[in-house]
Amino acid sequence: EDKVVQSPLSLVVHEGDTVTLNCSYEVTNFRSLLWYKQEKKAPTFLFMLTSSGIEKKSGRLSSILDKKELFSILNITATQTGDSAIYLCAVEARGANNLFFGTGTRLTVIP
Amino acid sequence: DTGVSQDPRHKITKRGQNVTFRCDPISEHNRLYWYRQTLGQGPEFLTYFQNEAQLEKSRLLSDRFSAERPKGSFSTLEIQRTEQGDSAMYLCASSLAQVQGLTPYEQYFGPGTRLTVT
């Protein structure tokens, strides 16, 4: 059965800190891994990763995938209070038509 | 604003009542998905449509649940004889259809309908 495990489950940091969120997965016929940010509403899309070793970057956020070790990390540098949210990792398998989500990492950034 | 809209945003109902939710996807997206999210969990897949065809249903989608997308645009999710265990956030997402061999398309989520069954 497909599995996505995120760690840590929750994290509290001070503004300006750098954080690394982890996502490991087991899925048959992997196609893509996605990161979403969820505040008190719908998940908003951050990154889609399909190839190993290619970093995707958007402002202070970046992510990379390791298909050999079956994990991805999401880095946030110079954290701000607006980064406080639940960060969800999801995988998609070839031939499947849905995303399989982990339980998320709750990030709290303290001023 | 992702472009996916859902209505209502909140619904409180008594056990045993029927409820219906609506989702309007991003206009050029031909795939539409329904997910359910409970507290402390990630979204769980319920069903998806490509155009008007419902192509996959999760085991989570009991007989009391039915989804439609009659014209390939908006979709409705109906829950009959609601139970307290149905209390959750119901999320709709849309995407373009995957083209085999090419990079897949990301799903964009709507704001969700939070259902509370008392």
Side-chain angles (χ1 to χ4, degrees), chain B residues 78-97:
Chain B
E78 180 183 16
I79 309 174
Q80 296 182 325
R81 304 182 303 282
T82 51
E83 301 173 356
Q84 287 186 320
D86 297 331
S87 296
M89 174 79 86
Y90 289 84
L91 293 165
C92 175
S94 71
S95 76
L96 293 168

Side-chain angles (χ1 to χ4, degrees), chain A residues 42-61:
Chain A
T44 53
F45 173 76
L46 295 175
F47 299 111
M48 174 186 280
L49 302 154
T50 57
S51 301
S52 272
I54 299 175
E55 184 183 54
K56 294 232 175 163
K57 199 168 170 63
S58 176
R60 296 176 295 102
L61 278 66

Side-chain angles (χ1 to χ4, degrees), chain A residues 1 31-32 34 36 38 40-45 48 50 88 92 94-104, chain B residues 2 9 31 33 35 37 40-43 45 48 56 59 89 91 98 103-112:
Chain A
E1 185 177 296
R31 173 154 63 182
S32 64
L34 295 89
Y36 287 84
Q38 186 173 29
K40 291 181 182 177
K41 48 181 181 174
T44 53
F45 173 76
M48 174 186 280
T50 57
L88 294 164
E92 185 182 21
R94 292 184 190 282
N97 296 290
N98 59 284
L99 297 176
F100 190 86
F101 282 86
T103 54
Chain B
T2 64
R9 296 291 302 276
R31 284 201 169 183
Y33 309 80
Y35 290 82
Q37 187 176 24
Q41 301 297 317
F45 170 73
Y48 99 97
E56 190 170 338
R59 291 190 306 265
M89 174 79 86
L91 293 165
Q98 314 294 341
T103 302
Y105 292 106
E106 58 272 21
Q107 295 180 24
Y108 290 91
F109 284 81

Side-chain angles (χ1 to χ4, degrees), chain A:
Chain A
E1 185 177 296
D2 297 345
K3 189 192 296 188
V4 175
V5 178
Q6 293 187 246
S7 64
L9 291 181
S10 65
L11 190 56
V12 180
V13 300
H14 291 279
E15 264 191 322
D17 288 351
T18 293
V19 298
T20 298
L21 309 182
N22 303 293
C23 175
S24 64
Y25 64 90
E26 293 176 26
V27 64
T28 305
N29 291 324
F30 172 88
R31 173 154 63 182
S32 64
L33 183 146
L34 295 89
W35 285 96
Y36 287 84
K37 176 183 181 182
Q38 186 173 29
E39 297 167 270
K40 291 181 182 177
K41 48 181 181 174
T44 53
F45 173 76
L46 295 175
F47 299 111
M48 174 186 280
L49 302 154
T50 57
S51 301
S52 272
I54 299 175
E55 184 183 54
K56 294 232 175 163
K57 199 168 170 63
S58 176
R60 296 176 295 102
L61 278 66
S62 64
S63 184
I64 197 161
L65 174 68
D66 185 328
K67 288 166 75 172
K68 183 179 175 187
E69 300 297 330
L70 308 182
F71 78 90
S72 174
I73 59 172
L74 175 68
N75 279 322
I76 309 175
T77 58
T79 51
Q80 302 171 356
T81 55
D83 296 327
S84 296
I86 295 171
Y87 290 84
L88 294 164
C89 173
V91 294
E92 185 182 21
R94 292 184 190 282
N97 296 290
N98 59 284
L99 297 176
F100 190 86
F101 282 86
T103 54
T105 293
R106 179 180 292 275
L107 174 66
T108 303
V109 182
I110 301 172

